[in-house]
Amino acid sequence: MNILQTEASPNFGGQEYEMVLEAKELAKRGHHVILIINSKNKILAETIKQFKLNFYQLPFKNTIDLFSIIKMRKIIKKHNIEIIHSHSPKDHWISYWATLNSNIPILRWRDIINPVPSKWHRSFIYKRGCKYLLVRCNMIKEMFIKNNKINPKKIKVIPASIDFEKFNPNINGNYIRSEFNIPLNAIIIALIAQIRPEKGHKYFIEAANYLKDRPNIYFLIVGGETDKSSIRINELKDLINKFGLKNIIFTGFRKDIPQIISTIDILVLPSTDVESVGRVILEAFAMKKPVIATFIGGIPEFVLNKKTGILIPPHNSKAIAEAIDFILNNPLKTKEMIENAYDFVKRNFSVKTIVDKIEEIQNDALK
């Protein structure tokens, strides 16, 4: 099958990585996969090159960017594209205009929780502009049914997928401690996410302040900046200075996430909004690391409190600190949660299992 994947976002995060991971698996199965991405997204372009996939870059200036529409139409014709996966609003609209009056089905992915306005011109592209709407968790499906009156049969839940060759308990990341001068016997707590307000970095830092009397503990903030991150990082550093904390480290964007997860003791994802899954949670599960996460979006579908991890309310730094204390003070319960989480992710989230489901939907869309 000739497949086109499109992504207009200029940023790189879980959504973009997910697209490439699943595109690679589709290509391994003999499909001809082409990607079109934002010309500003250098990290995504580099990632696609590493996965040895073919791609084009377009500006995606807006939803009616004539240049992008014409170029996409030419790419579709050149590669005899049979089906399109679109991942963000701009590339969805460009795909829609480029395939108008054709029989090429569009599969629209939706990874984030924040609701789409119910007005007809915002709902139209989801109702009429795609064959199926593919969402990463049940909460997103229910949101579209309730807010946008989309037929439930049109919405398919396809969870995030994990590459278990890349994320597994046998990965060694000891050099991370050397790189950041962290003692071998120190406890490392990490937040791995783009620097964005809804990821809850402020509460992570406040939790570190609650635990400042606990000896030999370090806090890693792992993640790259987005277009609006510079001011945000300065605010976070001001907060750190206000508390007088010396044990918080910003690593910046990292390509070696498996090695970082391997060396940490606890993963914290204190999201406050728009989190569907938080694929780093599943990656930590796969590497047998305990997880603390907020009761936001689709996270409770995967983090089952005191079973596969610890759930806490959002906007609550004290709850983060208490959850960290619980994990450090209860090794037997923590081991039980780790094993439960590992079994859960291995059963349900392998990239092969997820792409099996994608192929079924593709075949159905072409009938």
Side-chain angles (χ1 to χ4, degrees), residues 14 17-18 21 160-163 167 277-284:
Y17 179 77
E18 195 81 41
L21 180 63
S161 55
I162 299 298
D163 182 353
F167 293 93
V277 178
R279 66 169 293 110
V280 72
I281 291 173
L282 302 179
E283 292 165 352

Side-chain angles (χ1 to χ4, degrees), residues 20 23 78 92 113 119 130 136 142 169 216 265 271 278 281 283 296 313 329:
V20 181
K78 177 181 179 180
H92 186 186
I113 289 289
K119 293 180 180 179
C130 59
R136 293 297 186 183
E142 296 306 316
N216 215 22
D265 296 282
S271 302
I281 291 173
E283 292 165 352
I296 285 290
N329 294 333

Side-chain angles (χ1 to χ4, degrees), residues 194-197 223-238 250:
Q194 284 185 331
I195 308 294
R196 301 206 307 256
E225 299 182 30
T226 63
D227 293 340
K228 302 177 181 179
S229 288
S230 58
I231 296 175
R232 179 69 181 166
I233 290 176
N234 289 335
E235 291 174 353
L236 295 176
K237 289 182 176 178
D238 287 344
F250 286 88

Side-chain angles (χ1 to χ4, degrees), residues 42-214:
K42 295 179 181 179
I43 298 175
L44 178 55
E46 185 179 334
T47 303
I48 295 170
K49 289 176 185 176
Q50 291 172 354
F51 277 72
K52 298 180 179 180
L53 296 167
N54 297 318
F55 71 101
Y56 296 85
Q57 293 177 286
L58 294 177
F60 291 117
K61 292 181 179 179
N62 51 55
T63 58
I64 54 172
D65 178 9
L66 187 59
F67 175 81
S68 293
I69 293 168
I70 293 171
K71 289 290 290 185
M72 185 182 288
R73 188 171 290 174
K74 289 180 179 178
I75 294 167
I76 289 170
K77 184 176 181 181
K78 177 181 179 180
H79 293 278
N80 192 27
I81 295 299
E82 298 170 83
I83 195 165
I84 298 174
H85 295 247
S86 66
H87 294 265
S88 292
K90 288 181 183 177
D91 59 275
H92 186 186
W93 274 106
I94 299 300
S95 299
Y96 175 75
W97 298 125
T99 58
L100 207 58
N101 300 321
S102 78
N103 294 319
I104 300 173
I106 297 173
L107 304 179
R108 172 62 155 105
W109 289 84
R110 181 77 174 183
D111 287 53
I112 58 176
I113 289 289
N114 55 323
V116 173
S118 58
K119 293 180 180 179
W120 73 268
H121 63 283
R122 298 296 298 273
S123 297
F124 171 84
I125 196 67
Y126 296 96
K127 286 184 175 180
R128 306 295 181 187
C130 59
K131 179 72 174 182
Y132 289 116
L133 178 55
L134 310 184
V135 300
R136 293 297 186 183
C137 65
N138 286 298
M139 187 172 184
I140 303 177
K141 178 178 180 177
E142 296 306 316
M143 177 193 73
F144 273 109
I145 294 170
K146 181 180 179 180
N147 294 351
N148 306 96
K149 312 303 179 187
I150 293 179
N151 187 336
K153 294 180 180 180
K154 187 185 182 76
I155 308 173
K156 308 292 183 182
V157 179
I158 306 292
S161 55
I162 299 298
D163 182 353
F164 292 112
E165 292 182 7
K166 187 174 181 180
F167 293 93
N168 68 74
N170 299 318
I171 300 296
N172 188 317
N174 287 341
Y175 68 89
I176 301 295
R177 289 178 180 265
S178 299
E179 179 180 348
F180 294 106
N181 297 314
I182 300 173
L184 289 175
N185 63 343
I187 295 164
I188 302 178
I189 317 295
L191 193 173
I192 303 175
Q194 284 185 331
I195 308 294
R196 301 206 307 256
E198 68 271 14
K199 294 299 183 179
H201 292 82
K202 170 180 179 286
Y203 303 100
F204 184 70
I205 292 168
E206 290 176 349
N209 187 51
Y210 275 113
L211 296 168
K212 62 185 176 183
D213 292 331
R214 208 183 230 281

